[in-house]
Amino acid sequence: MDAGLAERLRDGTRAHHRATERAGIMPALLGGRLSVWRFAALQRNLHEIYGALEPALERHAGHAAIAAIHQPVLERCGHLAADLIDLHGPAWRDELPVVPATLDYVERIRRLEHDEPEALVAHAYVRYLGDLAGGQVLKGIVARSFNLDAGKGTGFYDFGAPDQVARLARDFRAGLALVPQHGASIDRLVAEACWAFDQHVLLFCGLETV
Ligand code: HEM
């Protein structure tokens, strides 16, 4: 039997994930050496990306491919905005830089929303399963690195208790199995997910020099 979409995405992006984990500011973030300013800049850029992705998913919630994976409980945009106030202050939107890789990412999402909404599934996969997996490791590192009070500045990573996080990841993968697909469409989603990982590499490298 052919591998399902979840498995194909995992296998097809493994090398890209590995490169992304090691790119630009990531080693410093993982090692607790990133400044809080640069971390806030990362979250500000993610706010821009989620700010494009989440309304696009919402607008296409009736599309069969999006309906299969759309879970509003996963939405991160509001959490990022609240965290940015804790991490930087109310002027975060104006004072923190948005790098060119993010602008290209947002443009890509807008184009897909218009021309190929089913490809947004790949972007939801890269972000939300990443947040539900590696993001949970980062949560503790971030809280410790920046001496944050409980719950302050880390709402982005908070999806509830570990069993709830595991359930959300399981539900997302179960949703992937319901995305209408054929051979070519699976290849297309894997390629789009690889693009998203590679764009994160550019983002993480771009944030080294702001
Ligand atoms: C820098 C720190 C990172 C660490 C330590 C990390 C770690 C992990 C771990 C431990 C898993 C679980 C693998 C499994 O269940 O077999 C995972 C999965 C995942 N991560 Fe990361 N990750 C990082 C960064 C990222 C980033 C930046 C993204 C997105 C751009 C991402 C996207 C994903 C995705 C989509 C999965 C799910 C793979 C699958 O099961 O299909 N990760 N990550």
Side-chain angles (χ1 to χ4, degrees):
M1 204 179 99
D2 288 345
L5 179 56
E7 205 179 336
R8 285 285 314 278
L9 282 166
R10 174 184 281 184
D11 291 347
T13 61
R14 188 168 285 127
H16 296 258
H17 182 279
R18 213 168 293 134
T20 307
E21 271 181 288
R22 296 170 185 171
I25 62 167
M26 275 298 121
L29 177 58
L30 287 172
R33 300 184 306 277
L34 200 67
S35 69
V36 68
W37 185 88
R38 217 169 283 278
F39 176 69
L42 168 63
Q43 302 308 76
R44 200 263 174 270
N45 280 264
L46 291 183
H47 182 269
E48 210 66 17
I49 293 167
Y50 284 88
L53 179 61
E54 291 178 344
L57 293 172
E58 185 64 47
R59 281 191 284 270
H60 288 282
H63 187 294
I66 307 298
I69 51 96
H70 187 233
Q71 297 187 55
V73 67
L74 295 176
E75 286 173 2
R76 297 293 96 189
C77 210
H79 294 288
L80 281 165
D83 288 350
L84 279 159
I85 290 177
D86 292 337
L87 294 165
H88 183 83
W92 60 268
R93 203 183 280 271
D94 300 325
E95 290 178 358
L96 294 168
V98 174
V99 301
T102 298
L103 298 175
D104 292 345
Y105 204 136
V106 165
E107 192 186 315
R108 177 90 162 200
I109 289 172
R110 298 234 162 94
R111 193 172 57 70
L112 292 177
E113 184 186 355
H114 189 260
D115 297 344
E116 196 188 355
E118 59 279 9
L120 295 171
V121 167
H123 290 275
Y125 163 78
V126 170
R127 282 303 339 166
Y128 293 129
L129 270 191
D131 299 336
L132 291 166
Q136 300 307 298
V137 181
L138 291 178
K139 180 181 179 180
I141 294 175
V142 165
R144 280 192 301 279
S145 304
F146 307 129
N147 262 324
L148 298 169
D149 291 338
K152 290 281 174 197
T154 55
F156 169 68
Y157 299 111
D158 194 355
F159 291 92
D163 61 332
Q164 160 91 346
V165 175
R167 191 178 58 74
L168 288 169
R170 221 170 29 243
D171 288 352
F172 192 92
R173 287 201 178 90
L176 287 174
L178 300 176
V179 172
Q181 54 195 250
H182 48 83
S185 72
I186 294 184
D187 291 346
R188 175 69 193 101
L189 288 177
V190 172
E192 189 61 28
C194 290
W195 183 92
F197 273 107
D198 294 348
Q199 200 64 19
H200 279 80
V201 170
L202 297 178
L203 165 61
F204 298 158
C205 291
L207 285 169
E208 279 187 308
T209 51
V210 288

